[in-house]
């Protein structure tokens, strides 16, 4: 977590750093700070809380510095107080460091430095870095050498940026398993945890790799490995447009991203579905162009999916599809659990990591450990790693054999919406590709599923056009007094109940739990009374009647019942539910992508009416790069 940004060039650094931090604030917002170098001094300003506090502090200062670093923090070591905010300085305040990640051996290093009479000003792990660099600077005049020697002492995953008052033309950055991207302008260079921070200035970027250190000067960028060997790397030009990271008239990014979902699904369909494939022509090629090579897809006996949070929910839908459509036994694990209790090794296993950011530490570590534990085994046990991610240039893309790029465009709201839908599309495509290759279902069935997917964009538009006002009105009923919600669903829509509950929790701070509808009677039903609304995802299909029965059981306990369903069974639904969130008619197999939309909207409106910070909910960060 945390966001770091750096600038060296000919413009005033402060404005560039602050606007960069604004775009990184989704990574953490417990405190923010910047350090610039001017007239032989480091000028460091920090503030607790969100960025506007720092802005306020800077309002009446004049600063012409052309080099600086900035940080927005998600607290790990030390409370979210100003003294723990980055940048951290050395004793004589001439060297400043920002860090994203965790220095795992900081206590040992801190004790060593304290024994040398160094005084610490914070409780952070990061503060050891400026003090260590200073120690090594006494042996050598080179800031680069001192940083290299410091890095050799650090354990953990981190990205750092360093400036020194004596080196006004040098910004040094390093990366070890935490993201860091460099930006190339005309006589100016940037670094940031995420390219969104530098997109307004340049689209020429280079991802620093693990174990690399870069020296940015007004004349250019030099990259070395941690041992000091010069690396030859080439930047690339992004086709991203800075407008994509604006709110474009929407009150919140989350709302904008909900409304982008039809376009996202269209892009996914255009990218991956082969338009010439027709089931009745017995085509000898797959309906889906995922570019998967036979070594990843042939003879699969097992698929295991590793993910966190919303991505884990998409994985659960994926499991349903991979088993029911492609016929492959599939397991889904939380990446954070899998790391420390990996499953027995099965031959011919495809391991899929799902992560919109591509930087989630647990997911990356789980995949790396899977590669490592299979490395010395015979070929059929070797790891085959596939990522479903929204960031083709991310860390996960670098460790996997292949990625499915979800093409959702950048998602700024901390609550995932359009990336969830895009990940789910990724699982439809993978299931269809594997189903075709294995002929696990007839081609006409594959054709029917594709036809259903093609309707999704306009069907989401229908929900947004016809339901938005009703959902907003309904949301008013839950903004006071209600403290708990229950979500129920079954089969392919149980993950939608989970996702509905997570969205509500993370942005409205209302406690919400999700259960498979049939499990309510085994305990959770005891929670129900007229103060606990129940949301039932009741999409027509194989378990519709069962869900309706389970919903009736909840109603009998006085719960207010909200149903997500189609108009097909309007009479029965009206008889069962107090409130109905209607979605268009859809085949059960495709229904999750529609069912999630009203739940996203309901959570959004509850949080917005409560006046909460929808895009940056408390305690969270968009990219969870710590364990
Ligand atoms: C989603 O709304 C959450 N903010 C969170 O659960 C998220 O899905 C999780 O942290 C995983 O992120 P990733 O997809 O970037 O790996």
């Amino acid at each position: 977590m945390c966001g770091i940004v750096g600038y060296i060039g000919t413009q005033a650094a402060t404005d560039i750093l602050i606007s960069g931090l604004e775009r990184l604030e989704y990574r953490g917002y417990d405190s923010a700070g910047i350090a610039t170098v001017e007239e032989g001094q480091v000028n460091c300003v920090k503030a607790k809380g969100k960025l506007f506090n720092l802005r306020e502090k800077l309002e009446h200062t004049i600063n012409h510095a052309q080099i600086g670093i900035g940080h927005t923090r998600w607290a790990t070591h030390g409370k979210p107080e100003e003294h723990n905010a980055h940048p951290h300085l050395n004793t004589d305040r001439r060297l400043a460091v920002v860090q994203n990640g965790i220095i795992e051996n900081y206590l040992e290093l801190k004790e060593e430095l304290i024994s040398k009479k160094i005084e610490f000003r914070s409780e952070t792990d990061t503060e050891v870095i400026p003090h260590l660099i200073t120690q090594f600077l006494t042996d050598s005049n080179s800031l680069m050498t001192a940083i290299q020697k410091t890095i050799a002492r650090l354990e953990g995953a981190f990205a750092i940026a360093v400036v020194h008052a004596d080196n006004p033309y040098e910004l040094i950055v390093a990366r070890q398993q935490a993201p860091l991207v460099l930006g190339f302008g005309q006589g100016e260079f940037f670094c940031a945890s995420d390219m969104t921070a530098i997109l307004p200035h340049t689209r020429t970027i280079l991802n620093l790799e693990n174990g690399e250190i870069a020296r940015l000067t007004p004349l250019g960028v030099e990259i070395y490995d941690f041992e000091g060997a010069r690396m030859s790397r080439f930047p690339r030009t992004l086709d991203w447009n800075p407008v994509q990271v604006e709110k474009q008239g929407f009150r919140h990014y989350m709302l904008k991203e909900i409304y982008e979902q039809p376009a996202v699904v269209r892009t996914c369909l255009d990218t991956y579905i082969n338009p010439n494939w027709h089931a009745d022509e017995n085509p000898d090629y797959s309906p889906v162009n995922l570019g998967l090579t036979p070594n990843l897809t042939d003879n699969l006996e097992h698929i295991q999916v590793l993910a966190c949070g919303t991505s884990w929910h998409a994985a659960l839908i994926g499991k349903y599809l991979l088993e029911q459509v492609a016929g492959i036994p599939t397991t889904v694990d939380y990446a954070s659990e899998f790391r420390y209790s990996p499953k027995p090794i099965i031959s011919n296993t495809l391991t899929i990591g799902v992560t919109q950011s591509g930087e989630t530490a647990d997911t990356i570590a789980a995949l790396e450990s899977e590669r490592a534990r299979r490395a010395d085994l015979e070929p059929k046990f070797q790891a085959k790693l596939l990522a479903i991610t929204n960031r083709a240039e991310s860390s996960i893309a670098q460790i996997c054999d292949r990625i499915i790029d979800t093409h959702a465009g950048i998602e700024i709201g901390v609550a995932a919406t359009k990336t969830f839908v895009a990940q789910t599309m990724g699982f439809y495509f993978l299931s269809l590709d594997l189903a075709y290759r294995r002929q696990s279902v007839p081609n006409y069935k594959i054709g029917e599923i594709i036809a259903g997917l093609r309707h999704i964009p306009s069907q989401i538009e229908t929900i947004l056009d016809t339901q938005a006002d009703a959902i907003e009105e309904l949301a008013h009923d839950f903004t006071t007094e209600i403290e708990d919600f229950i979500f129920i669903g079954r089969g392919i829509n149980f993950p939608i109940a989970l996702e509905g509950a997570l969205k509500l929790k993370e942005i409205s701070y209302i406690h919400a739990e999700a259960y498979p509808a049939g499990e309510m009677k085994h305990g959770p039903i005891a929670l129900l009374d007229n103060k606990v609304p129940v949301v039932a995802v009741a999409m027509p299909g194989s378990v519709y009647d069962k869900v309706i029965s389970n919903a009736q059981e909840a109603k009998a306990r006085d719960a207010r019942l909200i149903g997500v369903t189609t108009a097909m069974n309007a009479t029965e639904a009206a008889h069962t539910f107090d409130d109905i969130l209607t979605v268009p008619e859809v085949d059960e197999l495709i229904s999750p992508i529609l069912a999630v939309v009203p739940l996203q909207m309901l959570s959004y409106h509850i949080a917005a009416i409560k006046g909460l910070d929808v895009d940056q909910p408390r305690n969270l960060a968009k990219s969870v790069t710590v364990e």
Side-chain angles (χ1 to χ4, degrees):
M1 348 269 268
C2 304
I4 67 180
V5 61
Y7 174 76
I8 185 163
T10 51
Q11 301 187 60
T14 302
D15 294 345
I16 290 172
L17 296 175
I18 293 293
S19 74
L21 290 179
E22 213 163 61
R23 286 163 190 270
L24 292 176
E25 212 181 5
Y26 72 88
R27 300 176 69 89
Y29 27 85
D30 288 331
S31 63
I34 61 167
T36 50
V37 177
E38 192 181 25
E39 295 174 356
Q41 306 260 333
V42 168
N43 183 12
C44 184
V45 184
K46 324 194 226 192
K48 178 182 168 177
K50 301 192 82 171
L51 193 59
F52 59 75
N53 296 329
L54 179 65
R55 267 187 192 285
E56 244 172 39
K57 272 194 167 180
L58 288 165
E59 219 160 54
H60 303 296
T61 61
I62 297 169
N63 186 330
H64 299 295
Q66 294 168 336
I67 172 173
I69 54 178
H71 187 273
T72 181
R73 179 170 187 246
W74 187 84
T76 57
H77 297 67
K79 287 192 169 167
E81 298 293 344
E82 187 172 319
H83 67 278
N84 287 325
H86 298 218
H88 290 285
L89 305 179
N90 67 346
T91 305
D92 67 10
R93 297 177 176 272
R94 298 186 64 70
L95 179 136
V97 175
V98 288
Q99 193 249 145
N100 166 31
I102 290 182
I103 308 303
E104 287 170 359
N105 60 336
Y106 84 102
L107 271 179
E108 172 197 326
L109 296 169
K110 190 168 178 175
E111 275 167 25
E112 181 185 315
L113 289 159
I114 288 172
S115 74
K116 292 179 181 168
K117 306 274 181 272
I118 305 286
E119 279 182 32
F120 279 73
R121 304 182 187 106
S122 77
E123 291 98 51
T124 64
D125 52 337
T126 303
E127 199 187 340
V128 297
I129 302 174
H131 295 307
L132 273 176
I133 297 173
T134 308
Q135 299 269 304
F136 288 120
L137 263 176
T138 52
D139 308 337
S140 134
N141 275 334
S142 158
L143 182 58
M144 181 63 127
T145 308
I147 293 173
Q148 275 164 345
K149 288 183 178 171
T150 299
I151 287 170
R153 299 289 318 277
L154 305 179
E155 287 169 19
F158 54 83
I160 60 170
V162 185
V163 291
H164 194 296
D166 296 340
N167 300 49
Y169 302 114
E170 194 173 33
L171 164 60
I172 297 185
V173 301
R175 171 192 166 136
Q176 183 57 42
Q177 287 180 330
L180 197 63
V181 59
L182 306 181
F184 295 70
Q186 303 243 320
E188 56 182 4
F189 300 92
F190 309 80
C191 71
S193 301
D194 184 335
M195 65 178 79
T196 51
I198 52 186
L199 259 184
H201 309 286
T202 177
R203 287 189 292 140
T204 308
I205 65 129
L206 186 148
N207 281 76
L208 211 57
E209 289 185 2
N210 289 333
E212 287 185 342
I213 183 163
R215 181 167 173 265
L216 284 61
T217 73
L219 297 178
V221 173
E222 299 155 18
I223 299 178
Y224 302 86
D225 67 15
F226 282 176
E227 279 69 50
R230 183 86 184 253
M231 311 295 288
S232 175
R233 305 282 310 283
F234 299 96
R236 66 202 167 90
T237 305
L238 292 172
D239 56 4
W240 283 29
N241 176 344
V243 175
Q244 286 174 320
V245 290
E246 305 297 342
K247 281 193 198 139
Q248 293 171 16
F250 285 92
R251 188 170 160 207
H252 294 101
Y253 281 111
M254 182 182 174
L255 190 60
K256 172 189 163 232
E257 288 155 4
I258 290 172
Y259 274 81
E260 283 173 344
Q261 292 178 125
V264 167
V265 176
R266 277 193 189 100
T267 304
C268 289
L269 290 164
D270 291 348
T271 307
Y272 292 118
I273 295 291
N274 195 326
N276 302 318
W277 193 93
H278 298 290
D280 46 7
E281 290 172 3
N282 282 328
D284 58 359
Y285 53 91
S286 173
V288 186
N289 300 318
L290 290 174
L292 301 182
T293 47
N295 66 317
L296 289 180
T297 57
D298 284 1
N299 307 317
L300 289 181
E301 294 168 51
H302 171 225
I303 295 178
Q304 59 184 4
V305 196
L306 308 173
C308 304
T310 286
S311 298
W312 185 76
H313 299 157
L316 291 178
I317 298 173
K319 170 183 161 68
Y320 189 99
L321 297 170
L322 290 164
E323 291 187 333
Q324 304 303 320
V325 180
I328 306 173
T330 301
T331 52
V332 177
D333 280 278
Y334 288 117
S336 55
E337 290 294 309
F338 187 90
R339 287 178 74 171
Y340 299 104
S341 47
K343 297 284 148 45
I345 290 179
I346 297 175
S347 53
N348 295 313
T349 292
L350 175 67
T351 303
I352 306 175
V354 191
T355 162
Q356 73 80 22
S357 63
E359 302 294 348
T360 297
D362 284 319
T363 309
I364 289 169
L367 290 176
E368 279 174 339
S369 68
E370 193 56 8
R371 172 88 79 202
R373 75 175 177 143
R374 289 170 178 263
D376 297 327
L377 305 179
E378 60 178 289
K380 67 178 182 177
F381 292 111
Q382 292 285 312
K384 306 165 196 280
L385 302 186
L386 173 69
I388 298 182
T389 182
N390 201 37
R391 293 298 188 98
E393 73 298 334
S394 62
S395 300
I396 203 159
Q398 286 161 33
I399 60 171
C400 286
D401 301 305
R402 183 85 205 172
I403 69 162
I404 298 177
D405 184 344
T406 55
H407 292 291
I410 183 149
E411 186 175 71
I412 305 274
V414 163
T417 51
K418 62 175 181 172
T419 55
F420 169 75
V421 161
Q423 288 168 344
T424 307
M425 289 299 290
F427 277 112
Y428 281 100
F429 298 144
L430 180 62
S431 308
L432 291 171
D433 190 29
L434 292 173
Y436 171 79
R437 290 170 190 252
R438 301 162 72 95
Q439 288 292 292
S440 55
V441 290
N443 279 354
Y444 82 84
K445 181 70 191 160
I446 292 177
E448 279 176 13
I449 297 171
I450 292 173
L453 291 173
R454 288 196 190 283
H455 286 118
I456 292 285
S458 62
Q459 289 176 317
I460 298 178
E461 277 160 359
T462 302
I463 297 172
L464 298 174
D465 290 347
T466 62
Q467 298 291 299
D469 292 345
I471 294 173
E472 183 172 1
E473 205 179 311
L474 177 65
H476 280 91
D477 291 359
F478 307 117
T479 52
T480 53
E481 290 176 20
I482 297 298
E483 291 176 358
D484 306 279
F485 258 82
I486 299 281
F487 288 71
I488 57 175
R490 286 182 94 135
I492 196 168
N493 278 304
F494 170 54
I496 297 304
L498 288 166
E499 179 60 6
L502 179 63
K503 288 291 89 94
L504 190 65
K505 274 183 274 211
E506 65 181 339
I507 62 169
S508 75
Y509 314 146
I510 294 175
H511 171 242
E513 296 294 335
Y515 293 96
E519 278 298 298
M520 286 296 289
K521 57 187 172 294
H522 297 291
I525 202 165
L527 294 169
L528 298 188
D529 60 23
N530 62 2
K531 293 196 185 63
V532 183
V534 172
V535 178
V537 185
M539 301 301 286
S542 57
V543 287
Y544 175 78
D545 292 339
K546 306 290 173 201
V547 176
I548 293 292
S549 302
N550 300 139
Q552 293 284 11
E553 289 156 13
K555 192 172 182 175
R557 274 79 190 174
D558 287 337
R560 178 165 173 180
L561 260 190
I562 302 150
V564 180
T565 189
T566 68
M568 192 166 87
N569 303 310
T571 316
E572 185 174 23
H575 183 69
T576 308
F577 298 116
D578 299 301
D579 310 279
I580 300 177
L581 309 177
T582 312
V583 300
E585 302 302 334
V586 62
D587 188 88
E588 183 182 24
L589 201 66
I590 294 165
S591 62
I593 303 192
L594 295 187
V596 76
V597 178
L599 299 185
Q600 295 168 340
M601 303 273 284
L602 183 63
S603 298
Y604 168 77
H605 284 299
I606 293 174
I609 295 165
K610 285 175 91 173
L612 297 172
D613 194 341
V614 172
D615 289 329
Q616 294 177 346
R618 68 185 181 203
N619 304 337
L620 296 176
K622 183 77 183 160
S623 195
V624 186
T625 56
V626 295
E627 186 173 348

